[in-house]
Amino acid sequence: MGAFPLPNASESPLNRRDVPDYLPARMVNEFAYCERLFFYEWVEGLFAESADTIEGKVQHARVDEKSTVLPEAADLAESIHARSVTLASERLRVIAKMDLVEAEGGVVTPVDYKHGRPREGPNSLELWPSDRAQLAVQGIVLRENGYRCEEGIVYYRKTGQRVRVQFDGLLIAETEELIRQAWATAERGEIPPPLVDSPKCPGCSLVGICLPDETLRAEMGETASFEQLALFDSPRRKPVKREVRALVTPRSELKPLYLNTQGFRVGKSGTAGAG
Ligand code: SF4
């Protein structure tokens, strides 16, 4: 295996101050989802809980309680289920904590638990690209620790479905490239721009910090949101104007509330909310 071009700690603009030595598989998932999200979480150490992240943590905590040891590749018995297994690849400087590793006939299969649902492909259920990348990192670290590993499984709790993926050469090469890009992004020390009009943003736990549409609008300036026409051009199309989506609920406290209809009334019950 060739040497992996890893960043040099002393030359980094960040001095790798807070970046750990190993890139977690979970962060490769974040990078595949959104490079800016990865940067916030791994380089800047910013994290915000959402209902999804809390649900995921509770489920993983249950898995961790049943932690068991995965025997060395040479000592692998016929059938083993090892839970909460952590292995690393020195070559790629990645580390993966696996929810479950199933061993059968000398072949191991990582099983990753996700609280959501699989993606519906044209003919069958599929993994989300970011889940596939995380699972492939698990396959890579297992192989690099001497295990035979041909495929991985994601178990989606919401639908109770197991979706498999083969660790073929293309997926492994794509994943190694993703790892290289993630290291390079952290090393550059410049936060990547927000995604443009992406359906990923409304479900992102950091949307309130990132403010993707507002950031893009501020960078473009007001005039850039309109199409520039030549002097004698007739406007055949409507000018392009991108709306700033209201992805975050605005703060409503301290705003006046006007009751302008006779019979309306305002009350408050309990200590937290108005009723
Ligand atoms: S809000 Fe969108 S652009 Fe910003 S970090 Fe999340 S996914 Fe990325």
Side-chain angles (χ1 to χ4, degrees), residues 94-174:
V94 285
I95 190 163
K97 186 172 180 184
M98 291 162 272
D99 293 329
L100 173 66
V101 179
E102 296 177 342
E104 193 71 56
V107 180
V108 296
T109 304
V111 182
D112 204 20
Y113 290 71
K114 298 286 179 202
H115 64 272
R117 58 182 73 238
R119 183 161 91 161
E120 290 189 18
N123 303 315
S124 59
L125 295 175
E126 297 174 354
L127 299 186
W128 297 98
S130 51
D131 293 345
R132 190 174 56 226
Q134 182 175 355
L135 193 63
V137 175
Q138 298 182 0
I140 288 170
V141 297
L142 282 164
R143 285 181 181 183
E144 299 219 352
N145 282 273
Y147 296 95
R148 227 180 100 203
C149 180
E150 312 292 351
E151 62 171 12
I153 296 171
V154 172
Y155 175 68
Y156 288 98
R157 287 180 188 271
K158 208 160 251 176
T159 56
Q161 288 160 315
R162 285 161 69 102
V163 183
R164 292 173 183 271
V165 69
Q166 294 293 316
F167 295 144
D168 58 22
L170 182 62
L171 176 57
I172 297 300
E174 280 175 2

Side-chain angles (χ1 to χ4, degrees), residues 229-241:
L229 296 171
L231 188 58
F232 299 106
D233 229 0
S234 62
R236 274 162 284 175
R237 291 171 291 160
K238 280 188 173 177
V240 176
K241 188 177 181 188

Side-chain angles (χ1 to χ4, degrees), residues 10 19 79 89 137 162 178 181 197 242:
S10 60
V19 179
S79 177
S89 158
V137 175
R162 285 161 69 102
L178 210 56
Q181 287 175 10
D197 208 17
R242 183 182 295 288

Side-chain angles (χ1 to χ4, degrees), residues 33-34 36-37 194-195 201 204 207 210 212:
Y33 187 82
C34 169
R36 187 171 168 92
L37 178 64
L195 301 176
C201 297
C204 173
V207 66
C210 170

Side-chain angles (χ1 to χ4, degrees), residues 33-38 40 193-196 198 200-202 204-208 210-212 245 247:
Y33 187 82
C34 169
E35 296 180 16
R36 187 171 168 92
L37 178 64
F38 158 82
Y40 272 133
L195 301 176
V196 178
S198 170
K200 294 177 180 177
C201 297
C204 173
S205 60
L206 290 188
V207 66
C210 170
L211 298 174
R245 295 171 296 175
L247 297 177

Side-chain angles (χ1 to χ4, degrees), residues 16-90:
R16 303 272 314 281
R17 51 184 168 80
D18 292 318
V19 179
D21 291 337
Y22 292 87
L23 178 67
R26 194 174 60 79
M27 284 298 144
V28 179
N29 180 319
E30 302 292 52
F31 187 80
Y33 187 82
C34 169
E35 296 180 16
R36 187 171 168 92
L37 178 64
F38 158 82
F39 193 93
Y40 272 133
E41 292 193 348
W42 201 53
V43 180
E44 298 201 340
L46 278 172
F47 194 80
E49 296 288 13
S50 66
D52 283 349
T53 61
I54 290 172
E55 202 178 325
K57 272 187 182 171
V58 171
Q59 287 165 354
H60 280 105
R62 280 196 211 116
V63 172
D64 289 350
E65 279 171 14
K66 300 172 191 158
S67 171
T68 46
V69 175
L70 179 68
E72 296 284 326
D75 306 330
L76 213 55
E78 271 304 293
S79 177
I80 277 183
H81 280 199
R83 292 181 191 278
S84 198
V85 176
T86 300
L87 290 172
S89 158
E90 292 300 324

